[in-house]
Amino acid sequence: MQVWVCPARRPQRKGVVEAAIKYITRSWWRSAPVAGLGQAQADLDRWAIAVADRRKRKDGTISELAAEENLLALPDAAFPALLQVERMVSRTALVSFEGNRYSMPPGFVGHSVSVRARLGELHLEIISPANRRIARHRRAPAGAGQILQSSEHARLLQAAVLDAFTTAKPCARKQNRPPGDGALAAAARLRGQPAGVVVDLDEYARIAKVAR
């Protein structure tokens, strides 16, 4: 089925709906002995069976024609809605959803995935950008702060962490090597100052005031 939103006061777009509303308001609502919504619904159901469904058509009454339609029976439960959000896999191979975190294979760290949760189901699915299911977890209560990690994901994460270890020589430390006397003398010559001369900062302040 499809839902078509029709603008108001456009009979060419929704004439059937307006005709049905006009018939109900004229034939039932104006004289309906009701005092509330519940009573109005009950009286409308009674009136629809006793009056509206007995209207004559070419091949029988409305109720008879409706009984002959080949419609499927209604499902036992309402059609479940699907909630889908985009999430980024953390460095610890976890995905956050509704205040909980769910494990992922470590190969997806830093990638964007989709979390799908269907209304009424006890599990959720994590889908890759290629529309392939990566993980399936029990859906924890919203805001519970739980971490749900499968044994397979824990094993893969441990293997990835161990593989990152190395026996290579560590990086050399940055040593403190201040300039020596020779370097200071060379720098002074480049600046046009004799070695060992200390510049008075008050002189810089005076020059700045004159420049203003």
Side-chain angles (χ1 to χ4, degrees):
M1 64 176 288
Q2 292 181 338
V3 177
W4 288 6
V5 179
C6 298
R9 305 183 187 279
R10 296 294 188 274
Q12 69 274 16
R13 294 280 302 276
K14 56 174 185 174
V16 176
V17 177
E18 291 187 353
I21 295 176
K22 185 183 298 183
Y23 168 69
I24 292 175
T25 54
R26 182 183 66 247
S27 302
W28 168 74
W29 176 246
R30 289 182 179 179
S31 59
V34 298
L37 292 178
Q39 189 177 1
Q41 183 63 59
D43 191 72
L44 177 61
D45 295 340
R46 177 202 59 77
W47 175 84
I49 297 175
V51 179
D53 289 352
R54 293 185 179 182
R55 287 177 293 170
K56 296 292 185 179
R57 292 294 182 264
K58 181 179 179 180
D59 298 326
T61 63
I62 292 180
S63 61
E64 292 172 351
L65 295 176
E68 295 176 357
E69 292 182 352
N70 297 323
L71 299 177
L72 298 177
L74 293 175
D76 297 333
F79 185 80
L82 180 65
L83 175 62
Q84 179 172 326
V85 294
E86 301 295 325
R87 290 291 185 267
M88 187 71 67
V89 183
S90 68
R91 297 179 60 184
T92 55
L94 295 174
V95 172
S96 299
F97 179 71
E98 292 184 335
N100 302 289
R101 290 183 292 176
Y102 300 87
S103 65
M104 290 278 298
F108 290 90
V109 170
H111 290 74
S112 177
V113 295
S114 300
V115 182
R116 295 178 183 176
R118 193 176 295 275
L119 182 64
E121 291 190 359
L122 301 179
H123 295 79
L124 57 81
E125 296 180 345
I126 303 176
I127 309 299
S128 69
N131 202 26
R132 182 174 62 87
R133 190 176 77 178
I134 308 170
R136 185 174 185 267
H137 292 281
R138 173 183 60 84
R139 187 176 180 180
Q146 298 184 10
I147 298 179
L148 288 85
Q149 186 179 46
S150 67
S151 57
E152 178 64 16
H153 293 166
R155 184 187 65 80
L156 293 175
L157 182 61
Q158 182 180 12
V161 172
L162 294 176
D163 291 341
F165 282 106
T166 177
T167 57
K169 183 180 179 181
C171 298
R173 293 179 177 272
K174 299 293 187 299
Q175 298 181 1
N176 181 22
R177 295 178 180 177
D181 295 338
L184 293 175
R189 287 195 299 271
L190 292 175
R191 290 194 296 264
Q193 300 173 355
V197 174
V198 179
V199 179
D200 189 1
L201 296 180
D202 293 337
E203 182 66 19
Y204 279 108
R206 186 187 64 79
I207 297 174
K209 289 181 180 181
V210 174
R212 290 177 184 176

